[in-house]
Amino acid sequence: MPGFDYKFLEKPKRRLLCPLCGKAMREPVQVSTCGHRFCDTCVFKCPEDQLPLDYAKIYPDPELETQVLSLPIRCIHSEEGCRWSGPIKHLQPHLSTCGFNVIPCPNRCSIKLSRRDLPDHLQHDCPKRRVKCEFCASDFTGEAYESTLGFGYPKFISHEDIKKRNYVRDNTVFIKASVEIPPRILA
């Protein structure tokens, strides 16, 4: 993976940029024979002097890496409205709480949404949320609750209809029915 491609608060100094990818160096390495530095994944031969590299003479440069990871950046979600800024090394911890970061639904419903939209999704939209029927106290998934009334209820009557028509008294559901009985049977 090439260097860091973030929105820096200030342009990084040239010595912190990889001469190959032009970005702030990610996992910088230094070539002991010539002293040049590059991102670990960018270097195959020294582009400065075109000499083939002996990988035994390439080593990590932790001092340079510390400098690069201290560069101040804006959140990767700044264009969506996140106002966080800080050093590169604090980006991942920030993203674990950033309201604009996209995360999967914890109920594993296959939806990915921003963290700030998650509470509303979990309460109202997630098909795998748990819902307790206020009429029968049965526990349903959101999907089942919205598609059926549960055991014993006719599917053509919704919970809303039951609630509107006051079919519930003393935790018992009463469903009104009208049936035409032929007069000859009543006689």
Side-chain angles (χ1 to χ4, degrees):
M1 175 179 285
F4 294 107
D5 192 20
Y6 295 131
K7 293 180 178 112
F8 292 94
L9 298 180
E10 297 174 12
K11 186 175 179 180
K13 292 184 167 91
R14 187 168 183 260
R15 65 184 174 81
L16 302 177
L17 301 176
C18 175
L20 296 173
C21 68
K23 299 174 183 171
M25 284 186 245
R26 184 185 303 262
E27 299 175 6
V29 294
Q30 185 173 21
V31 181
S32 63
T33 54
C34 61
H36 295 120
R37 295 178 170 118
F38 312 96
C39 295
D40 184 36
T41 56
C42 289
V43 65
F44 296 102
K45 67 179 180 177
C46 181
E48 298 287 332
D49 51 25
Q50 299 301 314
L51 295 174
L53 295 175
D54 178 358
Y55 286 95
K57 295 181 180 174
I58 297 176
Y59 57 93
D61 192 335
E63 183 181 315
L64 184 62
E65 183 171 31
T66 300
Q67 292 175 22
V68 171
L69 292 177
S70 295
L71 291 171
I73 60 168
R74 296 188 197 293
C75 178
I76 60 173
H77 301 293
S78 62
E79 290 182 10
E80 293 133 66
C82 183
R83 299 201 180 299
W84 179 89
S85 62
I88 293 174
K89 64 184 167 194
H90 292 157
L91 178 63
Q92 287 307 317
H94 162 70
L95 291 176
S96 68
T97 62
C98 178
F100 295 89
N101 202 31
V102 175
I103 57 172
C105 174
N107 290 341
R108 298 182 182 150
C109 74
S110 78
I111 300 289
K112 290 187 178 185
L113 63 165
S114 66
R115 184 174 275 107
R116 65 189 173 130
D117 295 333
L118 185 61
D120 191 52
H121 169 75
L122 291 174
Q123 186 173 7
H124 302 291
D125 302 325
C126 181
K128 294 192 176 187
R129 72 188 185 280
R130 299 307 300 170
V131 179
K132 188 170 203 142
C133 175
E134 60 187 284
F135 303 108
C136 68
S138 295
D139 196 34
F140 298 96
T141 64
E143 191 173 47
Y145 181 78
E146 290 164 3
S147 68
T148 180
L149 295 175
F151 305 108
Y153 297 143
K155 288 187 180 183
F156 56 85
I157 297 177
S158 69
H159 274 104
E160 289 77 24
D161 284 341
I162 289 174
K163 191 173 184 179
K164 282 182 208 169
R165 296 179 186 171
N166 295 320
Y167 291 161
V168 178
R169 258 182 273 127
D170 301 324
N171 292 326
T172 305
V173 177
F174 296 93
I175 298 175
K176 296 178 184 176
S178 76
V179 178
E180 278 189 41
I181 302 174
R184 65 174 195 253
I185 295 177
L186 291 174

